[in-house]
Amino acid sequence: MNTRRQGRRWCTAALVGLMSLPAAGTFTTSVTLVAAVATTAHADEDEEREEKAERFWNRAVRFAQRGKNKKALEEFIKAVPYMNDDPDVFYNLVNFGHETRSWTEVALYGQGYMFLAEDGDEKKEVAKRIQTAQKYLRKYKGSVEAVSFRVKPKGVDVMVNHVPIAKSG
């Protein structure tokens, strides 16, 4: 499977509360996440972040080139905290998740791609893969439930497991 990567953008401007998604169907509740805006970024932190992103990305690509899709998926997942503003990492996660039938990953990382990516054929393809994942999750895990968030202040990225899924407000 081929990987894709275009230009990289680093987002260090917003720091948001994170939550882990429960197993599908275990509860429905409202959660309040409080977001704080960071005012400065440090060059050393950016450089370290970039190095970690490159390391995980390159490992994932090497595994993909050898046909080890499950290992490639694992390495792309490790890259997410360092590349969560790059739709390409989410695109690759959706595709490798689909190839390995890792439906929870397809559903979650697909949302990150849909939030970050420009409209186009690839976005339609990812939307179909998300629907396929949700179908399998409903069938084998019982259901896919919506979770409500109230996030303050308005206009910040809402993230779940380092995946941007929406803007608040």
Side-chain angles (χ1 to χ4, degrees), residues 29-153:
T29 187
S30 292
V31 178
T32 302
L33 300 178
V34 179
V37 178
T39 56
T40 61
H42 301 290
D44 291 344
E45 291 171 4
D46 288 344
E47 188 175 312
E48 182 180 338
R49 175 182 169 133
E50 196 165 327
E51 287 173 8
K52 287 180 180 181
E54 285 291 326
R55 183 174 350 123
F56 293 126
W57 182 276
N58 290 337
R59 274 194 238 164
V61 169
R62 284 192 300 273
F63 282 124
Q65 290 169 340
R66 290 185 290 210
K68 297 183 178 198
N69 293 344
K70 189 71 172 173
K71 286 291 210 180
L73 177 67
E74 292 169 6
E75 292 302 314
F76 279 126
I77 290 170
K78 291 176 186 175
V80 168
Y82 310 103
M83 300 180 74
N84 61 3
D85 62 338
D86 187 342
D88 290 338
V89 74
F90 295 111
Y91 182 81
N92 289 322
L93 281 161
V94 167
N95 288 322
F96 284 98
H98 188 265
E99 288 292 317
T100 60
R101 301 175 63 89
S102 301
W103 304 121
T104 303
E105 284 76 8
V106 173
L108 175 62
Y109 298 121
Q111 293 302 318
Y113 181 80
M114 298 300 285
F115 177 71
L116 293 171
E118 302 290 326
D119 288 340
D121 290 339
E122 289 175 344
K123 200 165 185 176
K124 291 175 187 172
E125 173 192 332
V126 168
K128 287 179 185 176
R129 292 197 170 186
I130 292 169
Q131 288 175 342
T132 300
Q134 290 173 339
K135 179 182 85 173
Y136 280 100
L137 289 170
R138 280 187 192 97
K139 184 174 182 179
Y140 297 110
K141 299 237 183 192
S143 69
V144 177
E145 297 294 329
V147 178
S148 299
F149 298 97
R150 282 183 298 199
V151 179
K152 296 178 183 177

